[in-house]
C-alpha cells in the first residue's frame, strides 16, 4: 500500500515537472521572427569564429525564409480577396460602359467654343495627360493578361517541385525552446522547420492564384475594354479641342491694324508689334503642324491598340 502511494506520488511529480517543462517550449509552427532575431543577436555577441559564422548564417537563412513565408501567406490572402471582389468590380465597370454613347466626352459642363486660346491650351494639356496615363494603363493590362495566361505551366511545375522538396526534407519533430542557448544543431532544425512552413505557404498561394485566375482575368479584360474605350473618347476630345484652337487666332486684332495710314500716331509702334506678330505666327504654324502630326500618330496608335486588344477579347 505504501509502495502504491509512493508510485502515485512519483507519477504526479513527474507529470507536474513535464507540464512545467512543456510550458516553456513552443511547437515549430509557433517559431517567430522575433525569436530568430533574438538568437541572431545572441550569436553575434560570441565573436567571429568560423563555427559562429556558420551558425549565424543558418539562423539568418531561417529568418529570411520565415519572412518569405509571411509574404506567401499575404499573397494567398490577396488572391482569395480578388476571387471575392472581382465579380463586383467587373459589374461596376460594365455598368459604366453601358452608360456611354457615341457622343461620350470627358469634357463636361463647358462649351469648348467659348474657351479662350489660353484656356484651350490648358484643356488640351489636361486631356493629353489623361490620354498618356490611360494608354500606359492599357499597356500594363496587356502585359499582365499575357503573363497570367501563360503562367499555368510554370505554376504546375513549381507545385511539383514543392512536392519533391517536401519528400527530401528530414522527417523530424522540431520543438522550439525559447530559453535554450543558440547552437548550430538548433539552427539547422529550425531551418528545416521553417522551410517546411514556407513550402506549405507557397503551395497555398499558388493554388489560390490558380483558383482565382479566371475571375481575375475576366476583370482585367473588362478593365482593358474600358481603357480602350476611354482612349477613343480622349482622342476625340483632343481632336475637337485642337480643331477649335485652330479656328481661334489671337493675332487677328493686331493684323487689322496693318492698314493704318503712315501718319497715324503710333504707326511705328504698330509696325513693331506686327513684326513680332509675324514671328509668333510662324512659330504658331510650326506648333500646329506638330499638332497635326501628333494627331495622325495617335490615330495610328489607336488602330494598333484596337488590333492588339482584339487578341484578348475572348
Amino acid at each position: 500500500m505504501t509502495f502504491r502511494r509512493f508510485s502515485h506520488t512519483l507519477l504526479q511529480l513527474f507529470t507536474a515537472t513535464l507540464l512545467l517543462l512543456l510550458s516553456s517550449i513552443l511547437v515549430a509552427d509557433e517559431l517567430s521572427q522575433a525569436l530568430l532575431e533574438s538568437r541572431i543577436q545572441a550569436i553575434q555577441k560570441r565573436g567571429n569564429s568560423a563555427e559562429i559564422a556558420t551558425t549565424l548564417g543558418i539562423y539568418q537563412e531561417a529568418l529570411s525564409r520565415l519572412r518569405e513565408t509571411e509574404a506567401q501567406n499575404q499573397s494567398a490572402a490577396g488572391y482569395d480577396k480578388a476571387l471575392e471582389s472581382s465579380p463586383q468590380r467587373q459589374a461596376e465597370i460594365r455598368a459604366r460602359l453601358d452608360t456611354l454613347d457615341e457622343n461620350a466626352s470627358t469634357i463636361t459642363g463647358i462649351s469648348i467654343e467659348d474657351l479662350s486660346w489660353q484656356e484651350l491650351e490648358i484643356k488640351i494639356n489636361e486631356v493629353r495627360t489623361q490620354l498618356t496615363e490611360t494608354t500606359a494603363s492599357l499597356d500594363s493590362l496587356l502585359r499582365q493578361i499575357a503573363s497570367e495566361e501563360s503562367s499555368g505551366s510554370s505554376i504546375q511545375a513549381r507545385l511539383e517541385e514543392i512536392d519533391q522538396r517536401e519528400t527530401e526534407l528530414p522527417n523530424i519533430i522540431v520543438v522550439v525552446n525559447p530559453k535554450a542557448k543558440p547552437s548550430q544543431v538548433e539552427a539547422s532544425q529550425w531551418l528545416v522547420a521553417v522551410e517546411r512552413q514556407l513550402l506549405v505557404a507557397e503551395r497555398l498561394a499558388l493554388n489560390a492564384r490558380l483558383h482565382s485566375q479566371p475571375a481575375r482575368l475576366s476583370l482585367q479584360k473588362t478593365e482593358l475594354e474600358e481603357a480602350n474605350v476611354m482612349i477613343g473618347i480622349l482622342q476625340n476630345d483632343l481632336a475637337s479641342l485642337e480643331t477649335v484652337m485652330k479656328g481661334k487666332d489671337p493675332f487677328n486684332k493686331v493684323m487689322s491694324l496693318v492698314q493704318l495710314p503712315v501718319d497715324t500716331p503710333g504707326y511705328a509702334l504698330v509696325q513693331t508689334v506686327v513684326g513680332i506678330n509675324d514671328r509668333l505666327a510662324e512659330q504658331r504654324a510650326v506648333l500646329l503642324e506638330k499638332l497635326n502630326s501628333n494627331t495622325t500618330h495617335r490615330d495610328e496608335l489607336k488602330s494598333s491598340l484596337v488590333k492588339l486588344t482584339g487578341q484578348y477579347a475572348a
Side-chain angles (χ1 to χ4, degrees):
M1 187 69 176
T2 303
F3 178 75
R4 284 186 174 182
R5 289 180 178 176
F6 175 76
S7 298
H8 181 68
T9 302
L10 185 62
L11 179 59
Q12 287 180 324
L13 180 61
F14 175 76
T15 302
T17 303
L18 181 60
L19 290 174
L20 180 62
L21 178 63
L22 290 176
S23 67
S24 64
I25 297 179
L26 304 174
V27 295
D29 286 345
E30 296 178 2
L31 184 60
S32 67
Q33 293 187 30
L35 183 56
L36 275 165
E37 288 170 351
S38 69
R39 284 291 197 269
I40 290 172
Q41 291 173 1
I43 201 76
Q44 286 175 332
K45 296 177 181 178
R46 293 186 177 181
N48 55 3
S49 66
E51 182 179 355
I52 290 176
T54 300
T55 303
L56 177 62
I58 297 173
Y59 277 122
Q60 289 173 331
E61 178 65 19
L63 177 59
S64 175
R65 295 189 182 187
L66 192 59
R67 287 171 175 165
E68 187 178 347
T69 298
E70 178 60 25
Q72 292 292 346
N73 289 334
Q74 292 178 0
S75 178
Y79 287 128
D80 289 340
K81 184 177 180 180
L83 177 63
E84 180 180 350
S85 63
S86 289
Q88 177 63 30
R89 292 174 58 191
Q90 185 174 358
E92 292 171 355
I93 296 174
R94 182 58 59 194
R96 289 198 298 269
L97 289 173
D98 290 343
T99 62
L100 298 177
D101 56 33
E102 60 182 12
N103 297 319
S105 172
T106 62
I107 305 172
T108 58
I110 59 173
S111 172
I112 61 175
E113 287 78 9
D114 296 335
L115 297 178
S116 66
W117 174 276
Q118 292 79 8
E119 291 171 333
L120 284 168
E121 188 175 30
I122 292 172
K123 199 64 182 176
I124 284 175
N125 288 333
E126 291 176 354
V127 173
R128 282 177 181 161
T129 298
Q130 293 178 49
L131 182 57
T132 299
E133 292 174 350
T134 307
T135 302
S137 296
L138 183 142
D139 184 56
S140 177
L141 281 168
L142 287 173
R143 291 196 302 270
Q144 291 174 33
I145 291 172
S147 174
E148 197 64 39
E149 288 184 330
S150 63
S151 66
S153 58
S154 61
I155 292 176
Q156 291 296 342
R158 179 54 188 159
L159 286 171
E160 292 175 4
E161 291 175 357
I162 290 174
D163 292 340
Q164 177 61 33
R165 179 55 183 162
E166 282 185 327
T167 64
E168 297 171 354
L169 288 175
N171 190 19
I172 58 175
I173 298 176
V174 179
V175 293
V176 181
N177 184 355
K179 296 182 179 180
K181 293 182 179 181
S183 68
Q184 192 168 130
V185 172
E186 180 190 70
S188 299
Q189 290 180 342
W190 286 12
L191 181 58
V192 171
V194 170
E195 183 175 0
R196 194 176 294 279
Q197 290 181 44
L198 174 57
L199 293 174
V200 171
E202 186 179 2
R203 180 189 287 109
L204 289 174
L206 291 174
N207 283 326
R209 179 178 178 181
L210 287 175
H211 186 53
S212 64
Q213 191 175 72
R216 290 184 294 105
L217 276 172
S218 182
L219 172 61
Q220 287 175 330
K221 290 180 180 181
T222 304
E223 291 174 333
L224 183 69
E225 181 182 351
E226 182 180 40
N228 192 52
V229 170
M230 288 306 302
I231 285 175
I233 292 173
L234 289 166
Q235 287 177 330
N236 290 336
D237 287 347
L238 189 57
S240 297
L241 288 166
E242 290 173 349
T243 298
V244 173
M245 177 177 259
K246 292 176 185 178
K248 289 182 180 284
D249 190 343
F251 308 112
N252 282 336
K253 293 183 178 179
V254 176
M255 292 298 292
S256 65
L257 299 176
V258 177
Q259 307 301 325
L260 291 175
V262 176
D263 58 353
T264 300
Y267 179 82
L269 176 61
V270 170
Q271 293 303 311
T272 300
V273 172
V274 170
I276 295 174
N277 172 73
D278 289 341
R279 291 193 297 274
L280 292 175
E282 291 176 1
Q283 296 175 14
R284 174 173 174 268
V286 172
L287 289 175
L288 289 176
E289 184 177 351
K290 289 182 179 180
L291 285 175
N292 292 332
S293 176
N294 288 338
T295 300
T296 301
H297 177 69
R298 282 194 300 274
D299 291 340
E300 294 174 352
L301 177 61
K302 179 179 178 181
S303 177
S304 299
L305 288 174
V306 169
K307 292 180 181 178
L308 187 57
T309 304
Q311 299 177 12
Y312 300 96

